[in-house]
Amino acid sequence: EVQLVESGGVVVQRGGSLRLSCAASGFTFDDFSMHWVRQVPGKGLEWVSFITCDSGRRDYADSVKGRFTISRDNSEDSLNLQMNSLTPEDTAFYYCVKGDSCGYYNYFESWGQGTLVTVSP
Amino acid sequence: SYVLTQPPSVSVAPGKTARITCGGNNIGSRSVHWYQQKPGQAPVLVVNDDSDRPSGIPERFSGFTSRNSATLTISRVEAGDEADYYCQVWDSLVVFGGGTKLTVL
């Protein structure tokens, strides 16, 4: 069974930094692209970032480009999101999501339960 | 940037058929994926690649994509189908629709 467990969500002040992690299990981690998707409570889904299985390509939504950095450790089956220069607009649940293949043009096969990041003004 | 348009809400009586649309310019040239999100839960994939159903998803869920619109159809709607539904495609990057709240009357 695929399991994705996010951690690292806390309350942080505007301008601060935070690192989210996702521990993956139940599948061959280095065979799949991974994504972060966020959701402001009560609002819709917003894709944030993805990384291919071999870390060869990483991409970001315009709203986070230059501030967030995605990375993965295939030896540890883990996905990370380094978030800098946080603003209240970054307040959201952050989901770790498994793609359906190694490359891009994925659909999202499995989702973690999410971790809440709150940025205070 | 590419935009996907969904109706904010759809209501349907139990046992009837719900249709949730997702509009986008020439969406028929893209693969459309659909997700269900129940309150307090993470999204779940219900249809991928326009019309494929992942393992464990009831046959009551089906998808169809035409030139400028994709439709998620839920047949014989049950109370447990009440949820938010999102369509998703790739443009240069990932695009989600704004979501549709399905209410079962």
Side-chain angles (χ1 to χ4, degrees), chain A residues 39 44 47 59-60 95 105-108 111-112, chain B residues 33 35 37 42-43 49 86 90 93-94 96:
Chain A
Q39 185 174 37
W47 175 82
D59 259 315
Y60 303 90
Y95 293 101
Y105 302 124
N106 295 164
Y107 54 86
F108 302 136
W111 300 63
Chain B
H33 318 297
Y35 305 88
Q37 187 180 31
D49 296 312
Y86 296 90
W90 278 77
L93 296 172
V94 176
F96 284 104

mmCIF file with all atom_site columns, all heavy atoms in Angstrom, chain A residues 39 44 47 59-60 95 105-108 111-112, chain B residues 33 35 37 42-43 49 86 90 93-94 96:
data_model
loop_
_atom_site.group_PDB
_atom_site.id
_atom_site.type_symbol
_atom_site.label_atom_id
_atom_site.label_alt_id
_atom_site.label_comp_id
_atom_site.label_asym_id
_atom_site.label_entity_id
_atom_site.label_seq_id
_atom_site.pdbx_PDB_ins_code
_atom_site.Cartn_x
_atom_site.Cartn_y
_atom_site.Cartn_z
_atom_site.occupancy
_atom_site.B_iso_or_equiv
_atom_site.pdbx_formal_charge
_atom_site.auth_seq_id
_atom_site.auth_comp_id
_atom_site.auth_asym_id
_atom_site.auth_atom_id
_atom_site.pdbx_PDB_model_num
ATOM 1   N N   . GLN A 1 39  ? -3.358  23.676 -0.798  1.00 0.00 ? 39  GLN A N   1
ATOM 2   C CA  . GLN A 1 39  ? -4.770  24.035 -0.750  1.00 0.00 ? 39  GLN A CA  1
ATOM 3   C C   . GLN A 1 39  ? -5.016  24.936 0.444   1.00 0.00 ? 39  GLN A C   1
ATOM 4   O O   . GLN A 1 39  ? -4.872  24.495 1.598   1.00 0.00 ? 39  GLN A O   1
ATOM 5   C CB  . GLN A 1 39  ? -5.636  22.776 -0.656  1.00 0.00 ? 39  GLN A CB  1
ATOM 6   C CG  . GLN A 1 39  ? -7.125  23.034 -0.708  1.00 0.00 ? 39  GLN A CG  1
ATOM 7   C CD  . GLN A 1 39  ? -7.926  21.746 -0.769  1.00 0.00 ? 39  GLN A CD  1
ATOM 8   O OE1 . GLN A 1 39  ? -7.572  20.744 -0.143  1.00 0.00 ? 39  GLN A OE1 1
ATOM 9   N NE2 . GLN A 1 39  ? -9.002  21.751 -1.540  1.00 0.00 ? 39  GLN A NE2 1
ATOM 10  N N   . GLY A 1 44  ? -9.598  25.897 -3.528  1.00 0.00 ? 44  GLY A N   1
ATOM 11  C CA  . GLY A 1 44  ? -9.264  24.858 -4.479  1.00 0.00 ? 44  GLY A CA  1
ATOM 12  C C   . GLY A 1 44  ? -7.806  24.407 -4.412  1.00 0.00 ? 44  GLY A C   1
ATOM 13  O O   . GLY A 1 44  ? -7.016  24.885 -3.601  1.00 0.00 ? 44  GLY A O   1
ATOM 14  N N   . TRP A 1 47  ? -1.309  23.507 -7.760  1.00 0.00 ? 47  TRP A N   1
ATOM 15  C CA  . TRP A 1 47  ? -0.054  22.790 -7.939  1.00 0.00 ? 47  TRP A CA  1
ATOM 16  C C   . TRP A 1 47  ? 1.114   23.706 -7.594  1.00 0.00 ? 47  TRP A C   1
ATOM 17  O O   . TRP A 1 47  ? 1.109   24.893 -7.937  1.00 0.00 ? 47  TRP A O   1
ATOM 18  C CB  . TRP A 1 47  ? 0.051   22.291 -9.375  1.00 0.00 ? 47  TRP A CB  1
ATOM 19  C CG  . TRP A 1 47  ? 1.353   21.653 -9.690  1.00 0.00 ? 47  TRP A CG  1
ATOM 20  C CD1 . TRP A 1 47  ? 1.725   20.363 -9.422  1.00 0.00 ? 47  TRP A CD1 1
ATOM 21  C CD2 . TRP A 1 47  ? 2.470   22.269 -10.322 1.00 0.00 ? 47  TRP A CD2 1
ATOM 22  N NE1 . TRP A 1 47  ? 3.006   20.148 -9.855  1.00 0.00 ? 47  TRP A NE1 1
ATOM 23  C CE2 . TRP A 1 47  ? 3.490   21.300 -10.418 1.00 0.00 ? 47  TRP A CE2 1
ATOM 24  C CE3 . TRP A 1 47  ? 2.719   23.540 -10.824 1.00 0.00 ? 47  TRP A CE3 1
ATOM 25  C CZ2 . TRP A 1 47  ? 4.732   21.562 -10.987 1.00 0.00 ? 47  TRP A CZ2 1
ATOM 26  C CZ3 . TRP A 1 47  ? 3.948   23.812 -11.400 1.00 0.00 ? 47  TRP A CZ3 1
ATOM 27  C CH2 . TRP A 1 47  ? 4.935   22.814 -11.475 1.00 0.00 ? 47  TRP A CH2 1
ATOM 28  N N   . ASP A 1 59  ? 10.249  21.766 -11.584 1.00 0.00 ? 59  ASP A N   1
ATOM 29  C CA  . ASP A 1 59  ? 9.522   22.941 -12.034 1.00 0.00 ? 59  ASP A CA  1
ATOM 30  C C   . ASP A 1 59  ? 8.671   23.477 -10.891 1.00 0.00 ? 59  ASP A C   1
ATOM 31  O O   . ASP A 1 59  ? 8.352   22.747 -9.944  1.00 0.00 ? 59  ASP A O   1
ATOM 32  C CB  . ASP A 1 59  ? 8.651   22.638 -13.254 1.00 0.00 ? 59  ASP A CB  1
ATOM 33  C CG  . ASP A 1 59  ? 9.292   23.099 -14.547 1.00 0.00 ? 59  ASP A CG  1
ATOM 34  O OD1 . ASP A 1 59  ? 9.813   24.238 -14.566 1.00 0.00 ? 59  ASP A OD1 1
ATOM 35  O OD2 . ASP A 1 59  ? 9.273   22.337 -15.520 1.00 0.00 ? 59  ASP A OD2 1
ATOM 36  N N   . TYR A 1 60  ? 8.283   24.750 -11.053 1.00 0.00 ? 60  TYR A N   1
ATOM 37  C CA  . TYR A 1 60  ? 7.580   25.435 -9.983  1.00 0.00 ? 60  TYR A CA  1
ATOM 38  C C   . TYR A 1 60  ? 6.465   26.298 -10.545 1.00 0.00 ? 60  TYR A C   1
ATOM 39  O O   . TYR A 1 60  ? 6.572   26.837 -11.656 1.00 0.00 ? 60  TYR A O   1
ATOM 40  C CB  . TYR A 1 60  ? 8.550   26.340 -9.211  1.00 0.00 ? 60  TYR A CB  1
ATOM 41  C CG  . TYR A 1 60  ? 9.738   25.605 -8.630  1.00 0.00 ? 60  TYR A CG  1
ATOM 42  C CD1 . TYR A 1 60  ? 10.903  25.466 -9.372  1.00 0.00 ? 60  TYR A CD1 1
ATOM 43  C CD2 . TYR A 1 60  ? 9.674   25.035 -7.361  1.00 0.00 ? 60  TYR A CD2 1
ATOM 44  C CE1 . TYR A 1 60  ? 11.991  24.769 -8.856  1.00 0.00 ? 60  TYR A CE1 1
ATOM 45  C CE2 . TYR A 1 60  ? 10.758  24.341 -6.839  1.00 0.00 ? 60  TYR A CE2 1
ATOM 46  C CZ  . TYR A 1 60  ? 11.915  24.212 -7.598  1.00 0.00 ? 60  TYR A CZ  1
ATOM 47  O OH  . TYR A 1 60  ? 12.987  23.520 -7.088  1.00 0.00 ? 60  TYR A OH  1
ATOM 48  N N   . TYR A 1 95  ? 0.258   19.067 0.228   1.00 0.00 ? 95  TYR A N   1
ATOM 49  C CA  . TYR A 1 95  ? 0.137   17.632 -0.012  1.00 0.00 ? 95  TYR A CA  1
ATOM 50  C C   . TYR A 1 95  ? 1.342   17.124 -0.799  1.00 0.00 ? 95  TYR A C   1
ATOM 51  O O   . TYR A 1 95  ? 1.736   17.735 -1.810  1.00 0.00 ? 95  TYR A O   1
ATOM 52  C CB  . TYR A 1 95  ? -1.119  17.317 -0.824  1.00 0.00 ? 95  TYR A CB  1
ATOM 53  C CG  . TYR A 1 95  ? -2.424  17.580 -0.114  1.00 0.00 ? 95  TYR A CG  1
ATOM 54  C CD1 . TYR A 1 95  ? -3.164  18.721 -0.375  1.00 0.00 ? 95  TYR A CD1 1
ATOM 55  C CD2 . TYR A 1 95  ? -2.926  16.668 0.819   1.00 0.00 ? 95  TYR A CD2 1
ATOM 56  C CE1 . TYR A 1 95  ? -4.371  18.957 0.265   1.00 0.00 ? 95  TYR A CE1 1
ATOM 57  C CE2 . TYR A 1 95  ? -4.131  16.897 1.464   1.00 0.00 ? 95  TYR A CE2 1
ATOM 58  C CZ  . TYR A 1 95  ? -4.839  18.042 1.179   1.00 0.00 ? 95  TYR A CZ  1
ATOM 59  O OH  . TYR A 1 95  ? -6.033  18.265 1.813   1.00 0.00 ? 95  TYR A OH  1
ATOM 60  N N   . TYR A 1 105 ? 4.014   15.188 -17.302 1.00 0.00 ? 105 TYR A N   1
ATOM 61  C CA  . TYR A 1 105 ? 2.665   14.920 -17.815 1.00 0.00 ? 105 TYR A CA  1
ATOM 62  C C   . TYR A 1 105 ? 1.951   13.856 -16.981 1.00 0.00 ? 105 TYR A C   1
ATOM 63  O O   . TYR A 1 105 ? 1.230   13.015 -17.505 1.00 0.00 ? 105 TYR A O   1
ATOM 64  C CB  . TYR A 1 105 ? 2.702   14.511 -19.293 1.00 0.00 ? 105 TYR A CB  1
ATOM 65  C CG  . TYR A 1 105 ? 3.349   15.553 -20.167 1.00 0.00 ? 105 TYR A CG  1
ATOM 66  C CD1 . TYR A 1 105 ? 4.429   15.245 -20.973 1.00 0.00 ? 105 TYR A CD1 1
ATOM 67  C CD2 . TYR A 1 105 ? 2.889   16.871 -20.156 1.00 0.00 ? 105 TYR A CD2 1
ATOM 68  C CE1 . TYR A 1 105 ? 5.036   16.207 -21.753 1.00 0.00 ? 105 TYR A CE1 1
ATOM 69  C CE2 . TYR A 1 105 ? 3.494   17.844 -20.929 1.00 0.00 ? 105 TYR A CE2 1
ATOM 70  C CZ  . TYR A 1 105 ? 4.569   17.496 -21.730 1.00 0.00 ? 105 TYR A CZ  1
ATOM 71  O OH  . TYR A 1 105 ? 5.168   18.452 -22.489 1.00 0.00 ? 105 TYR A OH  1
ATOM 72  N N   . ASN A 1 106 ? 2.235   13.933 -15.652 1.00 0.00 ? 106 ASN A N   1
ATOM 73  C CA  . ASN A 1 106 ? 1.654   12.936 -14.742 1.00 0.00 ? 106 ASN A CA  1
ATOM 74  C C   . ASN A 1 106 ? 0.195   13.210 -14.447 1.00 0.00 ? 106 ASN A C   1
ATOM 75  O O   . ASN A 1 106 ? -0.290  14.333 -14.564 1.00 0.00 ? 106 ASN A O   1
ATOM 76  C CB  . ASN A 1 106 ? 2.363   12.977 -13.391 1.00 0.00 ? 106 ASN A CB  1
ATOM 77  C CG  . ASN A 1 106 ? 3.813   12.589 -13.412 1.00 0.00 ? 106 ASN A CG  1
ATOM 78  O OD1 . ASN A 1 106 ? 4.528   12.873 -12.464 1.00 0.00 ? 106 ASN A OD1 1
ATOM 79  N ND2 . ASN A 1 106 ? 4.275   11.939 -14.465 1.00 0.00 ? 106 ASN A ND2 1
ATOM 80  N N   . TYR A 1 107 ? -0.470  12.178 -14.000 1.00 0.00 ? 107 TYR A N   1
ATOM 81  C CA  . TYR A 1 107 ? -1.630  12.384 -13.152 1.00 0.00 ? 107 TYR A CA  1
ATOM 82  C C   . TYR A 1 107 ? -1.224  11.935 -11.755 1.00 0.00 ? 107 TYR A C   1
ATOM 83  O O   . TYR A 1 107 ? -0.153  11.357 -11.556 1.00 0.00 ? 107 TYR A O   1
ATOM 84  C CB  . TYR A 1 107 ? -2.872  11.659 -13.663 1.00 0.00 ? 107 TYR A CB  1
ATOM 85  C CG  . TYR A 1 107 ? -2.732  10.174 -13.911 1.00 0.00 ? 107 TYR A CG  1
ATOM 86  C CD1 . TYR A 1 107 ? -2.907  9.249  -12.898 1.00 0.00 ? 107 TYR A CD1 1
ATOM 87  C CD2 . TYR A 1 107 ? -2.462  9.718  -15.206 1.00 0.00 ? 107 TYR A CD2 1
ATOM 88  C CE1 . TYR A 1 107 ? -2.799  7.904  -13.147 1.00 0.00 ? 107 TYR A CE1 1
ATOM 89  C CE2 . TYR A 1 107 ? -2.349  8.369  -15.463 1.00 0.00 ? 107 TYR A CE2 1
ATOM 90  C CZ  . TYR A 1 107 ? -2.530  7.461  -14.438 1.00 0.00 ? 107 TYR A CZ  1
ATOM 91  O OH  . TYR A 1 107 ? -2.414  6.123  -14.686 1.00 0.00 ? 107 TYR A OH  1
ATOM 92  N N   . PHE A 1 108 ? -2.091  12.241 -10.793 1.00 0.00 ? 108 PHE A N   1
ATOM 93  C CA  . PHE A 1 108 ? -1.701  12.116 -9.387  1.00 0.00 ? 108 PHE A CA  1
ATOM 94  C C   . PHE A 1 108 ? -2.356  10.886 -8.776  1.00 0.00 ? 108 PHE A C   1
ATOM 95  O O   . PHE A 1 108 ? -3.519  10.916 -8.394  1.00 0.00 ? 108 PHE A O   1
ATOM 96  C CB  . PHE A 1 108 ? -2.076  13.388 -8.643  1.00 0.00 ? 108 PHE A CB  1
ATOM 97  C CG  . PHE A 1 108 ? -1.432  14.618 -9.245  1.00 0.00 ? 108 PHE A CG  1
ATOM 98  C CD1 . PHE A 1 108 ? -2.149  15.772 -9.434  1.00 0.00 ? 108 PHE A CD1 1
ATOM 99  C CD2 . PHE A 1 108 ? -0.102  14.605 -9.629  1.00 0.00 ? 108 PHE A CD2 1
ATOM 100 C CE1 . PHE A 1 108 ? -1.562  16.902 -9.986  1.00 0.00 ? 108 PHE A CE1 1
ATOM 101 C CE2 . PHE A 1 108 ? 0.494   15.716 -10.182 1.00 0.00 ? 108 PHE A CE2 1
ATOM 102 C CZ  . PHE A 1 108 ? -0.242  16.874 -10.363 1.00 0.00 ? 108 PHE A CZ  1
ATOM 103 N N   . TRP A 1 111 ? -2.021  10.523 -2.807  1.00 0.00 ? 111 TRP A N   1
ATOM 104 C CA  . TRP A 1 111 ? -1.839  11.767 -2.065  1.00 0.00 ? 111 TRP A CA  1
ATOM 105 C C   . TRP A 1 111 ? -1.585  11.453 -0.599  1.00 0.00 ? 111 TRP A C   1
ATOM 106 O O   . TRP A 1 111 ? -2.165  10.525 -0.042  1.00 0.00 ? 111 TRP A O   1
ATOM 107 C CB  . TRP A 1 111 ? -3.096  12.628 -2.162  1.00 0.00 ? 111 TRP A CB  1
ATOM 108 C CG  . TRP A 1 111 ? -3.501  13.042 -3.535  1.00 0.00 ? 111 TRP A CG  1
ATOM 109 C CD1 . TRP A 1 111 ? -3.874  12.236 -4.575  1.00 0.00 ? 111 TRP A CD1 1
ATOM 110 C CD2 . TRP A 1 111 ? -3.594  14.382 -4.019  1.00 0.00 ? 111 TRP A CD2 1
ATOM 111 N NE1 . TRP A 1 111 ? -4.184  12.991 -5.672  1.00 0.00 ? 111 TRP A NE1 1
ATOM 112 C CE2 . TRP A 1 111 ? -4.039  14.308 -5.357  1.00 0.00 ? 111 TRP A CE2 1
ATOM 113 C CE3 . TRP A 1 111 ? -3.376  15.643 -3.450  1.00 0.00 ? 111 TRP A CE3 1
ATOM 114 C CZ2 . TRP A 1 111 ? -4.236  15.459 -6.149  1.00 0.00 ? 111 TRP A CZ2 1
ATOM 115 C CZ3 . TRP A 1 111 ? -3.578  16.777 -4.224  1.00 0.00 ? 111 TRP A CZ3 1
ATOM 116 C CH2 . TRP A 1 111 ? -3.999  16.682 -5.559  1.00 0.00 ? 111 TRP A CH2 1
ATOM 117 N N   . GLY A 1 112 ? -0.710  12.267 0.015   1.00 0.00 ? 112 GLY A N   1
ATOM 118 C CA  . GLY A 1 112 ? -0.590  12.204 1.455   1.00 0.00 ? 112 GLY A CA  1
ATOM 119 C C   . GLY A 1 112 ? -1.778  12.896 2.110   1.00 0.00 ? 112 GLY A C   1
ATOM 120 O O   . GLY A 1 112 ? -2.664  13.415 1.419   1.00 0.00 ? 112 GLY A O   1
ATOM 121 N N   . HIS B 2 33  ? -7.767  14.579 -16.174 1.00 0.00 ? 33  HIS B N   1
ATOM 122 C CA  . HIS B 2 33  ? -7.833  13.728 -14.998 1.00 0.00 ? 33  HIS B CA  1
ATOM 123 C C   . HIS B 2 33  ? -8.785  14.361 -13.988 1.00 0.00 ? 33  HIS B C   1
ATOM 124 O O   . HIS B 2 33  ? -8.897  15.596 -13.913 1.00 0.00 ? 33  HIS B O   1
ATOM 125 C CB  . HIS B 2 33  ? -6.438  13.550 -14.390 1.00 0.00 ? 33  HIS B CB  1
ATOM 126 C CG  . HIS B 2 33  ? -5.368  13.342 -15.408 1.00 0.00 ? 33  HIS B CG  1
ATOM 127 N ND1 . HIS B 2 33  ? -5.345  12.235 -16.246 1.00 0.00 ? 33  HIS B ND1 1
ATOM 128 C CD2 . HIS B 2 33  ? -4.306  14.109 -15.762 1.00 0.00 ? 33  HIS B CD2 1
ATOM 129 C CE1 . HIS B 2 33  ? -4.305  12.319 -17.065 1.00 0.00 ? 33  HIS B CE1 1
ATOM 130 N NE2 . HIS B 2 33  ? -3.663  13.455 -16.789 1.00 0.00 ? 33  HIS B NE2 1
ATOM 131 N N   . TYR B 2 35  ? -10.397 14.325 -9.868  1.00 0.00 ? 35  TYR B N   1
ATOM 132 C CA  . TYR B 2 35  ? -10.148 13.980 -8.470  1.00 0.00 ? 35  TYR B CA  1
ATOM 133 C C   . TYR B 2 35  ? -11.388 14.290 -7.641  1.00 0.00 ? 35  TYR B C   1
ATOM 134 O O   . TYR B 2 35  ? -12.079 15.283 -7.885  1.00 0.00 ? 35  TYR B O   1
ATOM 135 C CB  . TYR B 2 35  ? -8.952  14.761 -7.913  1.00 0.00 ? 35  TYR B CB  1
ATOM 136 C CG  . TYR B 2 35  ? -7.717  14.564 -8.741  1.00 0.00 ? 35  TYR B CG  1
ATOM 137 C CD1 . TYR B 2 35  ? -7.450  15.381 -9.829  1.00 0.00 ? 35  TYR B CD1 1
ATOM 138 C CD2 . TYR B 2 35  ? -6.837  13.520 -8.477  1.00 0.00 ? 35  TYR B CD2 1
ATOM 139 C CE1 . TYR B 2 35  ? -6.341  15.178 -10.634 1.00 0.00 ? 35  TYR B CE1 1
ATOM 140 C CE2 . TYR B 2 35  ? -5.712  13.305 -9.272  1.00 0.00 ? 35  TYR B CE2 1
ATOM 141 C CZ  . TYR B 2 35  ? -5.482  14.137 -10.350 1.00 0.00 ? 35  TYR B CZ  1
ATOM 142 O OH  . TYR B 2 35  ? -4.385  13.918 -11.139 1.00 0.00 ? 35  TYR B OH  1
ATOM 143 N N   . GLN B 2 37  ? -12.610 15.003 -3.693  1.00 0.00 ? 37  GLN B N   1
ATOM 144 C CA  . GLN B 2 37  ? -12.133 15.352 -2.357  1.00 0.00 ? 37  GLN B CA  1
ATOM 145 C C   . GLN B 2 37  ? -13.310 15.496 -1.407  1.00 0.00 ? 37  GLN B C   1
ATOM 146 O O   . GLN B 2 37  ? -14.105 16.424 -1.546  1.00 0.00 ? 37  GLN B O   1
ATOM 147 C CB  . GLN B 2 37  ? -11.301 16.632 -2.373  1.00 0.00 ? 37  GLN B CB  1
ATOM 148 C CG  . GLN B 2 37  ? -10.660 16.933 -1.024  1.00 0.00 ? 37  GLN B CG  1
ATOM 149 C CD  . GLN B 2 37  ? -9.824  18.200 -1.031  1.00 0.00 ? 37  GLN B CD  1
ATOM 150 O OE1 . GLN B 2 37  ? -10.115 19.137 -1.759  1.00 0.00 ? 37  GLN B OE1 1
ATOM 151 N NE2 . GLN B 2 37  ? -8.780  18.237 -0.209  1.00 0.00 ? 37  GLN B NE2 1
ATOM 152 N N   . ALA B 2 42  ? -7.850  14.023 1.872   1.00 0.00 ? 42  ALA B N   1
ATOM 153 C CA  . ALA B 2 42  ? -7.040  14.332 0.708   1.00 0.00 ? 42  ALA B CA  1
ATOM 154 C C   . ALA B 2 42  ? -7.787  13.948 -0.568  1.00 0.00 ? 42  ALA B C   1
ATOM 155 O O   . ALA B 2 42  ? -8.677  13.088 -0.542  1.00 0.00 ? 42  ALA B O   1
ATOM 156 C CB  . ALA B 2 42  ? -5.721  13.574 0.777   1.00 0.00 ? 42  ALA B CB  1
ATOM 157 N N   . PRO B 2 43  ? -7.451  14.568 -1.677  1.00 0.00 ? 43  PRO B N   1
ATOM 158 C CA  . PRO B 2 43  ? -8.075  14.178 -2.953  1.00 0.00 ? 43  PRO B CA  1
ATOM 159 C C   . PRO B 2 43  ? -7.753  12.731 -3.314  1.00 0.00 ? 43  PRO B C   1
ATOM 160 O O   . PRO B 2 43  ? -6.738  12.170 -2.900  1.00 0.00 ? 43  PRO B O   1
ATOM 161 C CB  . PRO B 2 43  ? -7.454  15.152 -3.958  1.00 0.00 ? 43  PRO B CB  1
ATOM 162 C CG  . PRO B 2 43  ? -7.032  16.333 -3.137  1.00 0.00 ? 43  PRO B CG  1
ATOM 163 C CD  . PRO B 2 43  ? -6.583  15.747 -1.833  1.00 0.00 ? 43  PRO B CD  1
ATOM 164 N N   . ASP B 2 49  ? -6.684  10.102 -17.650 1.00 0.00 ? 49  ASP B N   1
ATOM 165 C CA  . ASP B 2 49  ? -6.599  10.006 -19.117 1.00 0.00 ? 49  ASP B CA  1
ATOM 166 C C   . ASP B 2 49  ? -7.976  9.994  -19.763 1.00 0.00 ? 49  ASP B C   1
ATOM 167 O O   . ASP B 2 49  ? -8.292  9.094  -20.571 1.00 0.00 ? 49  ASP B O   1
ATOM 168 C CB  . ASP B 2 49  ? -5.781  8.778  -19.501 1.00 0.00 ? 49  ASP B CB  1
ATOM 169 C CG  . ASP B 2 49  ? -4.335  8.857  -19.032 1.00 0.00 ? 49  ASP B CG  1
ATOM 170 O OD1 . ASP B 2 49  ? -3.711  9.907  -19.264 1.00 0.00 ? 49  ASP B OD1 1
ATOM 171 O OD2 . ASP B 2 49  ? -3.854  7.894  -18.409 1.00 0.00 ? 49  ASP B OD2 1
ATOM 172 N N   . TYR B 2 86  ? -12.405 17.960 -8.904  1.00 0.00 ? 86  TYR B N   1
ATOM 173 C CA  . TYR B 2 86  ? -11.478 18.816 -9.630  1.00 0.00 ? 86  TYR B CA  1
ATOM 174 C C   . TYR B 2 86  ? -11.009 18.122 -10.906 1.00 0.00 ? 86  TYR B C   1
ATOM 175 O O   . TYR B 2 86  ? -10.658 16.930 -10.872 1.00 0.00 ? 86  TYR B O   1
ATOM 176 C CB  . TYR B 2 86  ? -10.239 19.112 -8.784  1.00 0.00 ? 86  TYR B CB  1
ATOM 177 C CG  . TYR B 2 86  ? -10.520 19.897 -7.522  1.00 0.00 ? 86  TYR B CG  1
ATOM 178 C CD1 . TYR B 2 86  ? -10.825 19.249 -6.326  1.00 0.00 ? 86  TYR B CD1 1
ATOM 179 C CD2 . TYR B 2 86  ? -10.484 21.288 -7.528  1.00 0.00 ? 86  TYR B CD2 1
ATOM 180 C CE1 . TYR B 2 86  ? -11.080 19.964 -5.168  1.00 0.00 ? 86  TYR B CE1 1
ATOM 181 C CE2 . TYR B 2 86  ? -10.733 22.016 -6.374  1.00 0.00 ? 86  TYR B CE2 1
ATOM 182 C CZ  . TYR B 2 86  ? -11.032 21.342 -5.194  1.00 0.00 ? 86  TYR B CZ  1
ATOM 183 O OH  . TYR B 2 86  ? -11.287 22.061 -4.051  1.00 0.00 ? 86  TYR B OH  1
ATOM 184 N N   . TRP B 2 90  ? -2.284  19.069 -18.067 1.00 0.00 ? 90  TRP B N   1
ATOM 185 C CA  . TRP B 2 90  ? -0.982  19.708 -18.168 1.00 0.00 ? 90  TRP B CA  1
ATOM 186 C C   . TRP B 2 90  ? -1.046  20.726 -19.305 1.00 0.00 ? 90  TRP B C   1
ATOM 187 O O   . TRP B 2 90  ? -1.554  20.437 -20.390 1.00 0.00 ? 90  TRP B O   1
ATOM 188 C CB  . TRP B 2 90  ? 0.107   18.686 -18.483 1.00 0.00 ? 90  TRP B CB  1
ATOM 189 C CG  . TRP B 2 90  ? 0.617   17.954 -17.295 1.00 0.00 ? 90  TRP B CG  1
ATOM 190 C CD1 . TRP B 2 90  ? 0.002   16.929 -16.642 1.00 0.00 ? 90  TRP B CD1 1
ATOM 191 C CD2 . TRP B 2 90  ? 1.844   18.190 -16.606 1.00 0.00 ? 90  TRP B CD2 1
ATOM 192 N NE1 . TRP B 2 90  ? 0.782   16.501 -15.597 1.00 0.00 ? 90  TRP B NE1 1
ATOM 193 C CE2 . TRP B 2 90  ? 1.925   17.264 -15.553 1.00 0.00 ? 90  TRP B CE2 1
ATOM 194 C CE3 . TRP B 2 90  ? 2.900   19.085 -16.787 1.00 0.00 ? 90  TRP B CE3 1
ATOM 195 C CZ2 . TRP B 2 90  ? 3.006   17.204 -14.668 1.00 0.00 ? 90  TRP B CZ2 1
ATOM 196 C CZ3 . TRP B 2 90  ? 3.977   19.030 -15.911 1.00 0.00 ? 90  TRP B CZ3 1
ATOM 197 C CH2 . TRP B 2 90  ? 4.026   18.099 -14.868 1.00 0.00 ? 90  TRP B CH2 1
ATOM 198 N N   . LEU B 2 93  ? 2.800   23.484 -17.445 1.00 0.00 ? 93  LEU B N   1
ATOM 199 C CA  . LEU B 2 93  ? 2.836   22.943 -16.090 1.00 0.00 ? 93  LEU B CA  1
ATOM 200 C C   . LEU B 2 93  ? 1.435   22.453 -15.726 1.00 0.00 ? 93  LEU B C   1
ATOM 201 O O   . LEU B 2 93  ? 0.551   22.431 -16.568 1.00 0.00 ? 93  LEU B O   1
ATOM 202 C CB  . LEU B 2 93  ? 3.337   24.010 -15.116 1.00 0.00 ? 93  LEU B CB  1
ATOM 203 C CG  . LEU B 2 93  ? 4.780   24.488 -15.340 1.00 0.00 ? 93  LEU B CG  1
ATOM 204 C CD1 . LEU B 2 93  ? 5.102   25.676 -14.441 1.00 0.00 ? 93  LEU B CD1 1
ATOM 205 C CD2 . LEU B 2 93  ? 5.775   23.350 -15.095 1.00 0.00 ? 93  LEU B CD2 1
ATOM 206 N N   . VAL B 2 94  ? 1.242   22.079 -14.492 1.00 0.00 ? 94  VAL B N   1
ATOM 207 C CA  . VAL B 2 94  ? -0.034  21.482 -14.079 1.00 0.00 ? 94  VAL B CA  1
ATOM 208 C C   . VAL B 2 94  ? -1.100  22.568 -13.898 1.00 0.00 ? 94  VAL B C   1
ATOM 209 O O   . VAL B 2 94  ? -0.829  23.628 -13.330 1.00 0.00 ? 94  VAL B O   1
ATOM 210 C CB  . VAL B 2 94  ? 0.147   20.725 -12.753 1.00 0.00 ? 94  VAL B CB  1
ATOM 211 C CG1 . VAL B 2 94  ? -1.191  20.186 -12.247 1.00 0.00 ? 94  VAL B CG1 1
ATOM 212 C CG2 . VAL B 2 94  ? 1.154   19.593 -12.935 1.00 0.00 ? 94  VAL B CG2 1
ATOM 213 N N   . PHE B 2 96  ? -5.194  22.972 -12.534 1.00 0.00 ? 96  PHE B N   1
ATOM 214 C CA  . PHE B 2 96  ? -6.409  22.441 -11.939 1.00 0.00 ? 96  PHE B CA  1
ATOM 215 C C   . PHE B 2 96  ? -7.582  23.351 -12.278 1.00 0.00 ? 96  PHE B C   1
ATOM 216 O O   . PHE B 2 96  ? -7.424  24.581 -12.363 1.00 0.00 ? 96  PHE B O   1
ATOM 217 C CB  . PHE B 2 96  ? -6.300  22.385 -10.405 1.00 0.00 ? 96  PHE B CB  1
ATOM 218 C CG  . PHE B 2 96  ? -5.459  21.259 -9.874  1.00 0.00 ? 96  PHE B CG  1
ATOM 219 C CD1 . PHE B 2 96  ? -4.180  21.502 -9.389  1.00 0.00 ? 96  PHE B CD1 1
ATOM 220 C CD2 . PHE B 2 96  ? -5.948  19.965 -9.837  1.00 0.00 ? 96  PHE B CD2 1
ATOM 221 C CE1 . PHE B 2 96  ? -3.405  20.466 -8.887  1.00 0.00 ? 96  PHE B CE1 1
ATOM 222 C CE2 . PHE B 2 96  ? -5.186  18.927 -9.328  1.00 0.00 ? 96  PHE B CE2 1
ATOM 223 C CZ  . PHE B 2 96  ? -3.906  19.186 -8.860  1.00 0.00 ? 96  PHE B CZ  1
#
